[in-house]
């Protein structure tokens, strides 16, 4: 899908999927994200962070949200790729210094360290969590 921002004249490329977040489907959505990164000509370092974002954000929905139905969106706008997941829970994510001996609990912290931006916002139906990765390749 291609959208053009009327105010800035910037072309925005995006893909969006309505899905039920399940751990067994993560590889499928990572493949779709990888194909989008290849189509958009993104370098390996951007692709790696985007794939980590897809995995972490969808895993968190599967693990922490009672209703795992969500929307995954990949967007290329200007010089950034954004991964966002919208779900039906109003509970905001908690990013804390991880316990390095624990088997889980460090994903969002690590993602925040790798990416150029990580954020969240309440929405009418729940929340949206996003990660933004700067690129060297401007939007096509």
């Amino acid at each position: 899908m291609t959208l053009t921002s009327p105010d800035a004249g910037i072309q925005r490329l995006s893909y969006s999927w309505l899905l039920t977040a399940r751990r067994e489907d993560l590889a499928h959505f990572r493949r779709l994200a990888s194909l989008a990164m290849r189509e958009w000509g993104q370098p390996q370092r951007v692709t790696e962070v985007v794939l980590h974002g897809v995995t972490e954000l969808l895993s968190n929905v599967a693990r922490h949200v009672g209703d795992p139905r969500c929307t995954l969106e990949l967007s290329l706008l200007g010089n950034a790729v954004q991964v966002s997941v919208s779900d039906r829970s109003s509970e905001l994510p908690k990013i804390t210094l991880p316990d390095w001996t624990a088997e889980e609990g460090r994903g969002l912290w690590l993602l925040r360290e790798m990416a150029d931006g990580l954020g969240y916002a309440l929405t009418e139906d729940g929340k949206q969590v996003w990660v933004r990765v700067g690129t060297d390749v401007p939007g096509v």
Side-chain angles (χ1 to χ4, degrees):
M1 173 186 332
T2 302
L3 302 172
T4 302
S5 171
D7 28 292
I10 297 173
Q11 193 174 51
R12 176 179 181 210
L13 302 174
S14 70
Y15 288 99
S16 181
W17 299 273
L18 296 172
L19 62 114
T20 300
R22 295 184 301 226
R23 288 181 161 206
E24 60 268 21
D25 295 334
L26 293 176
H28 172 71
F29 289 102
R30 286 175 56 90
R31 278 191 298 276
L32 292 174
S34 182
L35 290 170
M37 295 305 97
R38 190 174 321 139
E39 177 185 323
W40 296 344
Q42 296 306 307
Q44 185 65 31
R45 68 169 186 79
V46 172
T47 300
E48 288 173 6
V49 178
V50 165
L51 296 182
H52 183 72
V54 167
T55 301
E56 182 62 24
L57 298 183
L58 289 179
S59 292
N60 284 348
V61 172
R63 181 178 297 128
H64 301 294
V65 176
D67 181 352
R69 293 176 294 169
C70 62
T71 302
L72 167 65
E73 184 175 9
L74 300 176
S75 301
L76 176 63
L77 178 58
N79 291 335
V81 174
Q82 182 167 299
V83 178
S84 63
V85 172
S86 299
D87 64 48
R88 298 168 190 265
S89 170
S90 60
E91 186 175 336
L92 296 176
K94 295 170 187 72
I95 304 171
T96 59
L97 188 62
D99 173 357
W100 296 110
T101 61
E103 294 202 17
E104 56 185 40
R106 60 177 109 5
L108 282 178
W109 182 88
L110 182 60
L111 189 57
R112 184 186 68 189
E113 296 301 306
M114 295 168 63
D116 295 305
L118 175 70
Y120 49 83
L122 289 174
T123 64
E124 195 173 294
D125 299 324
K127 71 175 171 299
Q128 179 184 61
V129 182
W130 55 266
V131 61
R132 189 171 299 130
V133 185
T135 95
D136 300 331
V137 182
V140 179

